[in-house]
Amino acid sequence: MDDIQVPHYFICPISLQIMKDPVTAITGITYDRESIEHWLFIGKNTTCPVSKQPLPRDSGLTPNHTLRRLIQAWCTQNASHGINRIPTPKAPLDKFQVIKLIKHLSKPQLQLKTVRQLELLAVGSERNRNPMVEAGVPKAMLLFIATCFKNAQINGVEEALSVLNFIPVPSRELKQVLAENDCIINSLTWVLFYEMENHAAVRSHAMIVLKRIIKPGSSSAVLKTLKPEFFKTIVGVLRSGNITQEGINAALHVLLEASAWGRNRIMMAEAGAAFELIELELGLPERRTTELILGILFHLCCCADGRAQFLSHSGSIAVVSKRILTVSAAADHRAVLILSTICKFSAATYPLLQEMLRVGAVAKLCLLLQADCAAYLKEKAREILRSHSKEWKDSPSFGVNPREIYI
């Protein structure tokens, strides 16, 4: 092979190997299908690797049959040199093949086999996913899970969730499905509660689907129908720890969006969310997890039950204070808002104010006044210090000139 001169136009510009399935992009450059699909869909690039021109992921790749036949003929001619002939690629999946598969879901004896076939197609190749979306596979998977919930039948649910993890339900279809089926969220909650093999991955996939349903801009019709059992289940999953990091962040996204509604905050407090979030934060999670936790805790502290539960945890003030100026600007914002809310609405009792001194909350607020941070955060810290300067001024932790808080 080393002694053979391979025609340069047989070589993929990305992999630098002989192309097995040459396809031409709209920019006119030909690549091996596997390499350019990886570049576009896994690498999430939007430009042509060679020409640097825009190359949208949905622009289509045209099979270069002529070049493939030339490569195959060349391989045959050089077989004596140990070169294997590249096989002819299989025809790409089309929408009508998928629709035929979906129809099999109506037959109980074919359901498990069909869902597994769909999972293999979704996992197997990025190019399979567009025809699967066009055929309505994501909607069919959601409805399949809802049917399993109604029949208390778990077989196939793991595979259906795996498909949904690769192929999200389009927004328009999702609104329609939720409007027509009031048990979608209940069915996903049921999956979180159900014990099965590979539970951490299954729970994570279910949580990711919930995150896509309960997202910024979600319909109020979704947020106002959430029930106490929903929050108890999510808090229970976080408490158990039997879930991946991606699943944890998805659960926190769900709680953050839901906590924007007052009625949901009360149910979250009743489910013990504040306590479990503090426990999770004490484990020193990654930056994004901390930002989500602090965001939820702020919303919970906006209701009396949430504040009471927050303060009932002996490490609450300490862990929030320690995150100031150590994580990110978003974490600083949320942590200061939590302390401000607690001081404003919790009667700022002597024990609470002494606790803030003891764990370093007051010292952190003083540092904020001298740090390179947003002006509004400094003003918020100044408000807290100003309100309780009489109680704190004689403490060594009150490391700020009184004039600075009355500017």
Side-chain angles (χ1 to χ4, degrees):
M1 179 75 180
D2 293 338
D3 300 329
I4 300 172
Q5 185 68 35
V6 180
H8 69 87
Y9 50 90
F10 287 3
I11 303 297
C12 173
I14 298 175
S15 68
L16 302 180
Q17 301 295 317
I18 296 175
M19 289 183 277
K20 297 177 181 178
D21 185 7
V23 292
T24 303
I26 58 170
T27 57
I29 309 297
T30 298
Y31 302 93
D32 195 29
R33 183 186 290 279
E34 183 180 354
S35 297
I36 190 62
E37 286 185 346
H38 189 280
W39 169 269
L40 292 172
F41 301 114
I42 307 301
K44 299 189 183 301
N45 296 291
T46 57
T47 57
C48 176
V50 172
S51 70
K52 307 304 179 186
Q53 293 176 321
L55 184 59
R57 285 193 284 273
D58 59 357
S59 59
L61 299 168
T62 305
N64 193 327
H65 297 300
T66 300
L67 180 57
R68 174 178 53 77
R69 292 189 189 103
L70 286 172
I71 294 173
Q72 287 177 322
W74 181 85
C75 289
T76 301
Q77 291 170 3
N78 290 278
S80 60
H81 297 284
I83 296 176
N84 297 321
R85 183 179 184 274
I86 63 170
T88 300
K90 292 181 180 179
L93 186 70
D94 65 48
K95 170 183 174 180
F96 302 102
Q97 291 173 284
V98 182
I99 289 174
K100 185 178 178 181
L101 263 179
I102 291 174
K103 288 180 179 177
H104 291 166
L105 289 172
S106 62
K107 301 175 182 179
Q109 69 274 20
L110 295 177
Q111 284 179 344
L112 184 57
K113 179 181 177 182
T114 300
V115 175
R116 285 176 175 170
Q117 285 179 299
L118 291 169
E119 182 189 23
L120 285 173
L121 290 171
V123 173
S125 171
E126 183 68 41
R127 64 174 168 167
N128 289 340
R129 295 172 195 170
N130 280 341
M132 292 178 78
V133 171
E134 292 170 4
V137 167
K139 178 181 177 181
M141 292 298 94
L142 267 185
L143 294 176
F144 174 76
I145 294 169
T147 301
C148 289
F149 165 60
K150 292 175 182 176
N151 297 332
Q153 172 62 46
I154 201 67
N155 289 340
V157 169
E158 179 178 350
E159 291 82 357
L161 286 168
S162 177
V163 173
L164 288 170
N165 194 48
F166 283 100
I167 313 175
V169 186
S171 297
R172 189 182 304 172
E173 282 188 28
L174 183 58
K175 289 180 181 178
Q176 181 186 353
V177 173
L178 293 173
E180 296 173 355
N181 301 271
D182 58 4
C183 68
I184 297 296
I185 290 179
N186 288 341
S187 65
L188 292 167
T189 308
W190 166 70
V191 174
L192 293 173
F193 184 77
Y194 206 99
E195 292 290 338
M196 64 181 82
E197 288 186 35
N198 200 22
H199 203 178
V202 175
R203 277 179 161 179
S204 297
H205 289 164
M207 206 69 83
I208 290 166
V209 176
L210 280 169
K211 173 191 168 185
R212 290 168 180 163
I213 293 174
I214 303 171
K215 59 185 179 181
S218 294
S219 167
S220 59
V222 174
L223 294 174
K224 72 182 182 182
T225 57
L226 300 177
K227 300 174 182 177
E229 293 73 19
F230 174 80
F231 295 109
K232 288 177 183 176
T233 301
I234 291 185
V235 171
V237 169
L238 291 175
R239 182 184 299 119
S240 73
N242 192 9
I243 188 171
T244 66
Q245 182 60 50
E246 187 180 13
I248 289 172
N249 281 358
L252 295 174
H253 272 285
V254 169
L255 293 178
L256 183 60
E257 292 304 319
S259 64
W261 280 61
R263 63 182 294 278
N264 291 340
R265 294 173 197 160
I266 295 171
M267 289 187 284
M268 288 167 64
E270 290 172 350
F275 191 93
E276 294 305 328
L277 290 172
I278 295 165
E279 287 291 306
L280 184 59
E281 185 56 35
L282 286 169
L284 297 174
E286 62 183 31
R287 177 185 62 81
R288 183 57 183 148
T289 304
T290 290
E291 291 172 351
L292 290 167
I293 289 173
L294 293 177
I296 302 164
L297 287 174
F298 165 65
H299 283 300
L300 288 174
C301 286
C302 290
C303 75
D305 290 346
R307 287 193 298 275
Q309 188 178 118
F310 176 84
L311 291 172
S312 71
H313 194 297
S314 60
S316 59
I317 300 293
V319 75
V320 169
S321 304
K322 281 182 170 60
R323 298 302 176 261
I324 296 174
L325 296 176
T326 61
V327 179
S328 67
D332 291 345
H333 168 74
R334 294 168 182 183
V336 171
L337 286 181
I338 290 170
L339 295 178
S340 175
T341 304
I342 291 296
C343 287
K344 186 174 182 181
F345 295 107
S346 295
T349 60
Y350 180 78
L352 170 60
L353 297 177
Q354 291 305 302
E355 174 73 0
M356 290 181 70
L357 274 173
R358 187 181 68 81
V359 301
V362 176
K364 276 294 181 76
L365 292 172
C366 292
L367 281 175
L368 262 180
L369 297 182
Q370 297 147 29
D372 182 17
C373 62
Y376 77 91
L377 265 187
K378 292 187 177 185
E379 183 54 35
K380 186 64 68 174
R382 193 173 283 115
E383 285 178 13
I384 301 171
L385 294 169
R386 189 185 300 142
S387 299
H388 307 291
S389 59
K390 290 182 180 179
E391 291 84 355
W392 292 333
K393 65 180 180 180
D394 294 329
S395 169
S397 299
F398 196 70
V400 62
N401 188 321
R403 293 181 181 179
E404 288 188 44
I405 64 174
Y406 289 100
I407 295 174

